[in-house]
Amino acid sequence: MHRLKGSGNAAHLLRIRLLARVLLAAHLLLVGWLMLRPLDVPWAAAANLTPLEGIRADLSAGPLEAARRIGGGLALLAPLGVLLPLIGGRLELSPLAAWSSLARTAAVGALVSVGVEMFQTAVPGQVVDVDSVLLNTLGVMLAHVTVVPALRGRLRRSQAASASARGAGTASPGGSQVGSQVGSQGATPRIPRVGLGPWTDVLSAIQREY
């Protein structure tokens, strides 16, 4: 029974990891299409290599425009903060391991953002902005902190509930069914014994032996 529970949990985690990989691949393709496609624009701003300079420019453009630009930078790679831990498939983490998972996820998000910015140098109409790396990485970290702990707790509770349900179903296999059948059909009728003369003692000896 313990092996069945373990195999069921392993299969469930494997499905989650496969789904996370598919979603991660689809998200990266979408990011590549959004950020690396050529843009036909009359002019392009100069590249920003000064940290926080682009954010200041966004804030000076008004609250709505600032919210759109900064929110877009935060949301661009935010799904990585959830999908990357799901690919790892670990549900039980110590506090130190949880911080390590956050650091690894943020590092991968930063590397992906840097790669996108480097490829943008060869794409017409796309502007390199170092603040995009900061916003993308911050978005990955925020998504990880707000979603992943709650999601791991929900998956743990779901697996515990399914394991207890399987344990309750296999605790007495067929016992209650047999008892109910016996109770509904009544006692088994007995055939009165008929004396067999000299063979009675032989049959009694065989029964005692076996």
Side-chain angles (χ1 to χ4, degrees):
M1 185 172 66
H2 293 291
R3 285 196 300 268
L4 289 177
K5 288 182 182 179
S7 61
N9 292 340
H12 184 59
L13 287 177
L14 180 60
R15 288 193 295 269
I16 293 176
R17 294 175 67 180
L18 291 176
L19 177 61
R21 290 179 181 180
V22 172
L23 293 177
L24 178 62
H27 175 67
L28 291 178
L29 288 176
L30 177 62
V31 170
W33 179 78
L34 290 175
M35 306 304 296
L36 300 179
R37 73 184 192 277
L39 299 179
D40 187 10
V41 293
W43 63 275
N48 174 36
L49 302 179
T50 305
L52 303 181
E53 186 66 28
I55 296 178
R56 294 192 189 96
D58 294 337
L59 293 175
S60 63
L64 293 180
E65 187 66 19
R68 185 185 69 83
R69 294 179 184 178
I70 295 176
L74 292 173
L76 182 63
L77 297 182
L80 269 66
V82 179
L83 296 176
L84 290 175
L86 287 181
I87 291 176
R90 298 180 62 185
L91 300 181
E92 299 290 343
L93 291 179
S94 64
L96 180 60
W99 282 107
S100 178
S101 175
L102 174 61
R104 290 194 304 269
T105 304
V108 173
L111 289 175
V112 172
S113 181
V114 170
V116 170
E117 295 297 323
M118 291 180 63
F119 281 114
Q120 280 184 336
T121 58
V123 179
Q126 297 287 355
V127 179
V128 177
D129 188 356
V130 69
D131 287 339
S132 296
V133 178
L134 299 178
L135 292 175
N136 296 160
T137 306
L138 182 59
V140 171
M141 296 176 66
L142 290 176
H144 187 285
V145 170
T146 56
V147 177
V148 172
L151 184 58
R152 281 174 174 158
R154 183 173 180 178
L155 289 175
R156 285 195 300 267
R157 290 190 296 269
S158 176
Q159 289 192 356
S162 61
S164 61
R166 286 195 301 267
T170 57
S172 56
S176 59
Q177 296 179 0
V178 173
S180 62
Q181 291 178 359
V182 172
S184 61
Q185 294 179 1
T188 304
R190 297 183 178 181
I191 301 175
R193 296 181 64 181
V194 179
L196 297 178
W199 294 101
T200 305
D201 296 335
V202 177
L203 293 175
S204 298
I206 293 174
Q207 290 176 356
R208 285 195 300 269
E209 290 292 333
Y210 298 96

